[in-house]
Amino acid sequence: MKKTTQVQLSVMMFLEFFIWGGWFVTLGTFLGNNLNATGVETGMAYSTQSWGAIVAPFIIGLIADRFFNAERILGVLHLIGAVLMYQMSQATQFYAFYPYILGYMLAYMPTLALVNSVAFNQMTDPAREFSYIRVWGTIGWIVAGLAISYLFHWDSKESIQDGLLQNTFLMTAIASALLGLFSFSLPKTPPQSKKDERVSVSDIFGLDALKLLKDRNFLIFFVSSVLICIPLAFYYQNANPFLAEIGIANPTGKMTIGQISEVLFMLLLPVFFKRFGFKKTIIFGMLAWAVRYILFALGNADELTAMLILGIALHGICYDFFFVSGQIYTDSKAGEQHKSAAQGLIALATYGVGMLVGFWIAGKITDTYMLEGGMHQWKEIWFFPAGFAAVIMLLFGFAFRDENIVYKNL
């Protein structure tokens, strides 16, 4: 790969995830303070991610893979996203805000696959080269969070009260416009399929991989993957509002510790996976979810702040040890014939169905423990996902039969 191409792809990844991290983390705090949204309404806003994940395969399978270059579709979608993001910044009521965020996520979620497509198309050795490109996406997410907290101070107590979190949408609108324009300069990535080639709904959603559910172990893993997205939704939806509400300084910046942890534990995952095997790795990941929420329930903004920081730092184990290990397991079970279909099915089931249900439940639970004045009984809220994750872990531990899975770099 040419050095100039590597730089282009790195900038693309940086902006792609700078955009996502620049507003998604603080969304719950913005909705509650700027738009007086309820927990259910906040769940509705976050669940647009799931609707985007469900629609994304259609855009990729029916348009990007058949008619237009991936980099051009990427550019158009981000330019559309810039306009919608600006409209989100101007909304003053939730039901005026919701159509814009729904439209935005329907446009944004397909770009996650498109940036990978553009990157892989330029690589001669993806297993070696992709990680060096993808890490810039994580760096972009971290930079966005640090900028919000330490450069602009938009998530300080005073700034939140003054409604300055709306600036996060303006910031990401500018970044989205930049990436939209920049995308047209990216290396050409032509369609992978012929225009007259038949594509079925089964192909788009990876439904051919449903036959893998006949395997008892894979079925247990599949169901566990969907269910673990319920406690996952609590973190995405409630972590930033929780930290801001109890008085943690620079909450968005501190949450970038989770992304730093994700990078570090990604490096440790191969060692852990090879030494302890798939089942123990997955169980350890589920245990981390339960421990994280217990730490959130018992920590505070005073002498027990370290418990909250540790809970954030567990993100690497929570995400890598379950979801990345799950991708490896799925890859090994599917074989060459159904590899792509199986990964697509897992993505649809987790980020589509699982997270959709999870955000709805998180919203309901959050509203149940809301106090007068907009405050919350956070201890009771966090014990719910902690208990749910623990139950899933126990059920998986008893039902899943250990098997030898060979680790491969994805």
Side-chain angles (χ1 to χ4, degrees), residues 194-381:
K194 297 179 180 178
K195 294 181 181 179
D196 56 354
E197 184 177 332
R198 293 185 62 186
V199 179
S200 66
V201 173
S202 178
D203 294 330
I204 291 172
F205 286 119
L207 300 183
D208 287 342
L210 285 173
K211 60 186 68 176
L212 293 174
L213 298 181
K214 296 178 181 178
D215 182 299
R216 180 178 179 274
N217 260 6
F218 190 81
L219 175 62
I220 293 168
F221 161 72
F222 182 85
V223 173
S224 299
S225 297
V226 174
L227 293 177
I228 203 67
C229 285
I230 295 176
L232 171 62
F234 275 80
Y235 180 75
Y236 286 150
Q237 185 169 322
N238 285 340
N240 193 267
F242 159 66
L243 295 173
E245 185 175 305
I246 67 172
I248 294 292
N250 306 307
T252 312
K254 287 185 172 62
M255 285 184 68
T256 63
I257 294 172
Q259 275 61 52
I260 297 170
S261 166
E262 186 180 328
V263 174
L264 295 176
F265 280 102
M266 186 73 77
L267 299 175
L268 293 174
L269 180 60
V271 177
F272 199 95
F273 197 97
K274 290 177 180 178
R275 182 170 182 180
F276 296 102
F278 171 72
K279 181 176 180 179
K280 290 181 180 177
T281 301
I282 288 286
I283 289 175
F284 201 71
M286 291 178 175
L287 178 62
W289 281 109
V291 172
R292 155 184 269 181
Y293 291 131
I294 291 173
L295 290 170
F296 280 2
L298 301 180
N300 58 44
D302 297 315
E303 69 278 2
L304 298 180
T305 301
M307 296 179 71
L308 305 180
I309 300 300
L310 179 57
I312 295 170
L314 284 174
H315 184 72
I317 301 177
C318 293
Y319 186 84
D320 294 339
F321 279 38
F322 189 91
F323 288 98
V324 178
S325 293
Q327 291 171 7
I328 296 167
Y329 177 68
T330 301
D331 187 75
S332 68
K333 297 292 283 187
E336 290 297 326
Q337 183 179 0
H338 299 294
K339 184 181 296 187
S340 296
Q343 295 290 356
L345 180 64
I346 289 293
L348 176 66
T350 52
Y351 286 98
V353 178
M355 295 291 282
L356 190 65
V357 174
F359 286 131
W360 181 80
I361 292 176
K364 283 287 188 181
I365 296 295
T366 303
D367 279 345
T368 299
Y369 293 100
M370 185 174 182
L371 303 171
E372 290 185 10
M375 305 295 281
H376 297 83
Q377 295 174 289
W378 286 111
K379 180 181 292 187
E380 287 76 9
I381 291 172

Side-chain angles (χ1 to χ4, degrees), residues 99-111:
Y100 295 125
I101 190 174
L102 176 61
Y104 179 81
M105 291 309 279
L106 293 177
Y108 179 82
M109 292 306 288
T111 68

Side-chain angles (χ1 to χ4, degrees), residues 59 72-82 106-107 110-111 114 176:
I59 295 177
R72 294 178 183 175
I73 300 176
L74 180 66
V76 170
L77 290 177
H78 273 297
L79 290 175
I80 293 172
L106 293 177
T111 68
L114 289 170
S176 189

